[in-house]
Structure formats: structure tokens, C-alpha cells
Amino acid sequence: MMNNIPINVTDNSIVERTTPVLRLLNENLERYLLLSIYVYIISIIGVEVFRRFLLDNASLWGEETARFMFIYLTWIGASWGVHKRLHIRIDILHQYISERATGFLYILGDLVMLAFVVVAVQWTIPQLQTLLEFGAVTSALRVNKIFFQMAIPIGMGLMTVRILQALYRDVQDVRAGRAVYKGEQLFA
């Protein structure tokens, strides 16, 4: 009989042997980044609304940095979704198949996501090289756009780490005959 107790995301030997700081970062890195970026975006938008409607003087850089930070928010959020298995999926099939088959489906899903990351990075690299070569700058800040376009490879790099962690965990669970980590349920 398989163990139906959900395991914690960090219940693998590699993470358990690390320092408490690394375990904390492993569990919460994206969360801290997302919170920081979100607070920045909300603060800048709040200041810009105040400046525009009460002082009748808005800055160009505020709106531009908030917009570009939203890109980072999106890609880092995608990594968080992979880490916590919060991405969209169809779970009804899992009711009709064994835990082992469910584990293999999750492993297949991990491999498909890994392939997506590889393709996305391959498409992004030439764009980054073009930005670096020609020195395209933002309209208000006048800084190279590569700083903001790096959100995609950074997010994909974080996703790669999270996918590899999930793949390792899923393979270990299938080998041990345990139920795979199915993520947190957003809606009941």
C-alpha cells in the first residue's frame, strides 16, 4: 500500500544536508523576490498617482520601471508556481490511475516543462545579443534594455532549478513507492 501522506517539498536528502539559510532560501527565494518587487511596484505607482494628480508633475522613469519590474514579477512568479506546483493542470485523471502512474505523469510533465525552458532560452539569447550589440536603451531611463529583458533568462534559470528539484523528488518518490508531491490546491 502506498503512503498517501503528502511530503514536504524539501524532504530530500540534498536539501536536508544544507545549512538553515540555504533551506530557507530554497523554500522561499522566489517568495522574497516577489514580495520585494510587488512592494516596489505598488510604491512607485502610488507615488506616481500622487505626483500626477496632486502635484500635476509625473515622472517618466516611475511608470517605466514599474512596467519593467512587472516583467520580473511574471517570470519569477512562474518559477514559484513550478516550485509549489501551482500551475494549471487537470487532476481528474489522477483519480482513475495508480499512484505510480500519477508519478510517471508528473515526471513527464517535468520533462515537458524542462523542454519548454530550453526552447524559451534558445529564443531569448539572440534577442539579448542584439540588445547588447546595438545598445538599445529605454525611453525614459536611457539604460540598456538588456537589464529588463534579462527577466526571462533569470526566471527560466530559476524555473530550471525548480524543475530539476521536482524531477529528482518525483523520481525518488516513484522509486520508493510513495505518492508524489501534487502541490497545493488553490481552489477547493
Side-chain angles (χ1 to χ4, degrees), residues 130-182:
T130 302
L131 288 174
L132 201 56
E133 181 180 339
F134 292 107
V137 295
T138 62
S139 56
L141 294 174
R142 310 301 300 161
V143 297
N144 196 319
K145 287 184 180 180
I146 198 166
F147 294 114
F148 302 110
Q149 295 299 324
M150 284 298 293
I152 298 169
I154 289 171
M156 291 296 171
L158 287 171
M159 281 177 67
T160 300
V161 169
R162 296 310 188 176
I163 292 167
L164 291 174
Q165 285 177 333
L167 191 58
Y168 176 79
R169 180 188 60 228
D170 293 344
V171 167
Q172 296 300 321
D173 288 342
V174 168
R175 281 185 178 168
R178 293 187 301 255
V180 295
Y181 174 70
K182 293 182 177 118

Side-chain angles (χ1 to χ4, degrees), residues 1-142:
M1 181 100 185
M2 295 207 179
N3 183 0
N4 288 328
I5 300 172
I7 63 167
N8 190 333
V9 176
T10 61
D11 281 349
N12 62 50
S13 59
I14 295 171
V15 175
E16 291 304 316
R17 288 185 296 211
T18 60
T19 65
V21 172
L22 288 178
R23 279 195 303 262
L24 182 70
L25 283 176
N26 177 57
E27 194 59 35
N28 296 303
L29 175 65
E30 292 95 341
R31 190 176 181 184
Y32 295 147
L33 290 172
L34 291 171
L35 178 63
S36 301
I37 293 169
Y38 192 66
V39 166
Y40 175 79
I41 291 171
I42 295 301
S43 300
I44 288 297
I45 290 173
V47 167
E48 288 304 307
V49 166
F50 174 77
R51 289 184 64 180
R52 180 170 292 157
F53 293 110
L54 294 177
L55 302 178
D56 200 26
N57 182 13
S59 69
L60 294 174
W61 65 267
E63 181 272 332
E64 188 171 81
T65 58
R67 182 175 25 147
F68 286 126
M69 291 311 288
F70 190 76
I71 297 169
Y72 274 94
L73 188 75
T74 302
W75 288 106
I76 295 171
S79 176
W80 177 252
V82 168
H83 177 53
K84 294 296 183 180
R85 283 218 164 124
L86 297 171
H87 47 278
I88 297 173
R89 60 185 182 265
I90 301 171
D91 290 337
I92 194 154
L93 180 64
H94 299 294
Q95 297 174 8
Y96 302 108
I97 60 175
S98 69
E99 286 293 333
R100 186 170 178 83
T102 298
F104 284 120
L105 282 177
Y106 274 104
I107 290 169
L108 177 65
D110 294 338
L111 293 172
V112 168
M113 279 194 294
L114 198 55
F116 167 75
V117 166
V118 168
V119 169
V121 168
Q122 284 179 338
W123 283 13
T124 304
I125 298 299
Q127 294 172 353
L128 295 176
Q129 288 172 335
T130 302
L131 288 174
L132 201 56
E133 181 180 339
F134 292 107
V137 295
T138 62
S139 56
L141 294 174
R142 310 301 300 161

